[in-house]
Amino acid sequence: MVKERVEKVLDYIATCSPGQDEFYQAAREVLESIEPLLKAESKYLDNNILERIVVPERTIIFRVNWVDDSGVVQTNLGYRVQFNSAIGPYKGGLRFHPTVNLGTVKFLGFEQIFKNSLTGLQIGGAKGGSNFDPKGKSDNEVMRFCQSFMSELYKYIGKNRDVPAGDIGVGHREIGYLFGQYKKLTGEFEGALTGKGINWGGSLARKQATGYGSVYFAENHLTVYNKDLKDKICVVSGSGNVATYTIEKLINLGAKPVACSDSKGTIYHKSGIDIASLKAVKEIGRESLKAYAKIHPDCEYIDVAHYPKDAHAIWHIPCDIAFPSATQNELTLVDAKALVKNGCILVNEGANMPTTPDAIDYLQANGVLFSPGKAANAGGVATSQLEMSQNASMTQWNFEEVDIKLRQIMKNIFKKAHDTAKEFEHDGNLIVGANIAGFRKVADSMIDEGSI
Ligand code: NDP
């Protein structure tokens, strides 16, 4: 009965959202993993919660015209999917990347519902973005794009309504331009965006929060198995916001990150990544990792072209812990087999849905601990909510205060996912635990709020 209903809802998604493979993948993972809850309590099927929760409350698609440096008008697509507001105002990042389409934004928005619920904070789920590529654009082009994007988006957001943040391709610079335009159009200086600069309403430790939070989560996970991070060899995919601050925190806690990557290649620095050069190359210089390898002659650079399409160099480097922190479906079955062969004990997802379903099955079947992104990378959105709290009370907490709160939130999220898995007799399976805990709070709220 439960299985049939789940399949029926997934069939509906396949029919009504053709070509949205990533959304379908995310929905299948969540719906299948909550079957133990659906069997135990009939109210979710009785109230048609599955049928309702897979449909966004609102989807906004808009044209974004902007003028490039040569005076030519360019056109991109803008998206905001306001997925679920049962437990609070919509909250979720904006992604600017040429691969972004409606299916990408829906998968990210769907994941965000349960992630936000897991944080224990009052925030609903949303996501947005554009197929605009900030890479290779001048600051002025990025500014004009962001202003045009916000000229449409501002109608749908606000501090109690929908609060976007950054994601791939949207960092401090982009949030600044978006915030400036929001302020100009509304005349309000309010926390309608998070990830803001410290001088204009941002929170200390927000930049570090997703990466630091991911490492705190891994620490909690290892503790249950009487292990710790000390001297563990780690590989971290990506070299953007999440990867950089994952690497920084790993170094702080005595682990040894030896490799990271970007869209062009991977660096393997066996003696340990030098965080200062990494930041100089990627965060400040916006260069490729090739530049890092030039600074460190003992570092090996592996071009992306050297690996087949279904494999990624970073996962073939021997490690104790893997932190996929770049993008979706970047850790495949081929990669999972290499990790198992090399003795990896934990895969801790910093990115959203980075591990393919068959890779997850293989890792779990071979005894590798697995921290799902929904739980492990929730530190970013949790700290965004701390930014909202500071904005609402017109205060600014110091770095340590925010970091202490972040560490406690990650501990609580881990405990919730772990205890819920146990409650439903899937001890140690944090996918089941995180999805059920995240779903239950949202679904119960939807039932309380009636047929809206
Ligand atoms: P950034 O844009 O800062 O960095 C992304 C990194 O991943 C870059 O190094 C980029 O390479 C690489 N990358 C992106 N797309 C691809 C691709 N298709 N193939 C190979 N490499 C790729 O993004 P974030 O660090 O913010 O986000 C990374 C992940 O973490 C995403 O899944 C995001 O959704 C998730 N996340 C982010 C949060 C945040 O607070 N920022 C919060 C929670 C989750 P290059 O440098 O060459 O562009």
Side-chain angles (χ1 to χ4, degrees), residues 95-97 99 107-108 112 115 127 135 166-170 206-207 209-211 237-244 261-265 282 287-289 304 312 324-328 330 350-354 373 377-381:
R95 177 177 291 192
F96 293 168
H97 193 274
T99 59
F107 119 64
L108 290 163
Q112 199 80 41
K115 183 191 306 194
K127 202 82 186 189
K135 229 182 263 173
D167 191 78
I168 291 178
V170 179
R206 172 59 190 92
K207 182 171 70 172
T210 309
S237 65
S239 49
N241 173 265
V242 178
T244 301
S261 60
D262 63 17
S263 54
K264 304 216 168 57
K282 294 297 300 187
E287 291 175 89
S288 126
L289 280 174
V304 79
H312 304 83
S325 309
T327 192
Q328 63 269 22
E330 54 157 325
N352 284 311
M353 208 169 74
N377 72 32
V381 71

Side-chain angles (χ1 to χ4, degrees), residues 220-369:
N220 280 289
H221 201 166
L222 291 171
T223 303
V224 173
Y225 298 89
N226 295 319
K227 297 181 198 297
D228 58 31
L229 286 167
K230 187 100 192 67
D231 297 328
K232 295 289 182 301
I233 304 294
C234 302
V235 299
V236 184
S237 65
S239 49
N241 173 265
V242 178
T244 301
Y245 291 95
T246 296
I247 291 168
E248 181 168 275
K249 184 49 74 179
L250 284 170
I251 296 169
N252 290 347
L253 295 180
K256 190 174 175 188
V258 296
C260 65
S261 60
D262 63 17
S263 54
K264 304 216 168 57
T266 296
I267 52 162
Y268 180 23
H269 199 174
K270 213 172 173 179
S271 58
I273 291 176
D274 173 35
I275 187 72
S277 336
L278 180 66
K279 284 185 186 174
V281 168
K282 294 297 300 187
E283 196 176 56
I284 301 163
R286 297 180 185 273
E287 291 175 89
S288 126
L289 280 174
K290 226 179 227 173
Y292 178 100
K294 274 193 191 134
I295 305 170
H296 297 278
D298 61 330
C299 169
E300 187 185 341
Y301 180 78
I302 310 154
D303 195 282
V304 79
H306 287 163
Y307 265 72
K309 247 197 152 66
D310 62 347
H312 304 83
I314 187 125
W315 312 127
H316 298 250
I317 294 167
C319 70
D320 298 311
I321 308 178
F323 288 86
S325 309
T327 192
Q328 63 269 22
N329 292 325
E330 54 157 325
L331 196 165
T332 63
L333 180 59
V334 177
D335 300 325
K337 286 182 178 170
L339 286 170
V340 169
K341 191 164 149 256
N342 286 328
C344 174
I345 56 168
L346 165 66
V347 171
N348 197 82
E349 294 188 326
N352 284 311
M353 208 169 74
T355 317
T356 60
D358 52 358
I360 296 176
D361 289 347
Y362 188 84
L363 293 167
Q364 289 187 322
N366 284 279
V368 178
L369 302 176

Side-chain angles (χ1 to χ4, degrees), residues 8 10 20 36 68 78 106 131 142 158 166 173 182 206 229 233 250 275 322-323 343 387 420 425:
K8 204 169 151 210
L10 290 169
Q20 297 180 6
D68 69 19
K106 277 176 73 179
N131 60 351
V142 171
R173 174 183 61 172
Y182 179 82
R206 172 59 190 92
L229 286 167
I233 304 294
L250 284 170
I275 187 72
F323 288 86
E387 183 174 329
T420 308
E425 292 168 7

Side-chain angles (χ1 to χ4, degrees), residues 56 58-60 62 78-84 90-96 100-113 115-116 124-130 149 153 162-168 170 206 351-352 377 381:
R58 191 170 300 102
T59 299
I60 302 142
F62 49 99
Y79 303 92
R80 186 71 180 165
V81 174
Q82 297 177 329
F83 226 118
N84 194 297
Y90 306 109
K91 178 101 199 79
L94 297 171
R95 177 177 291 192
F96 293 168
V100 166
N101 58 43
L102 184 58
T104 319
V105 180
K106 277 176 73 179
F107 119 64
L108 290 163
F110 188 69
E111 293 278 291
Q112 199 80 41
I113 303 171
K115 183 191 306 194
N116 292 2
K127 202 82 186 189
S130 172
F149 184 87
L153 187 68
D162 182 358
V163 185
D167 191 78
I168 291 178
V170 179
R206 172 59 190 92
N352 284 311
N377 72 32
V381 71

Side-chain angles (χ1 to χ4, degrees), residues 425-442:
E425 292 168 7
H426 280 73
D427 206 2
N429 188 334
L430 297 187
I431 299 180
V432 170
N435 285 339
I436 290 182
F439 173 86
R440 188 158 47 182
K441 180 174 162 188
V442 174

Side-chain angles (χ1 to χ4, degrees), residues 413-427:
I413 293 173
F414 176 79
K415 187 167 169 5
K416 208 179 292 173
H418 189 256
D419 291 354
T420 308
K422 208 174 206 166
E423 181 189 340
F424 287 91
E425 292 168 7
H426 280 73
D427 206 2

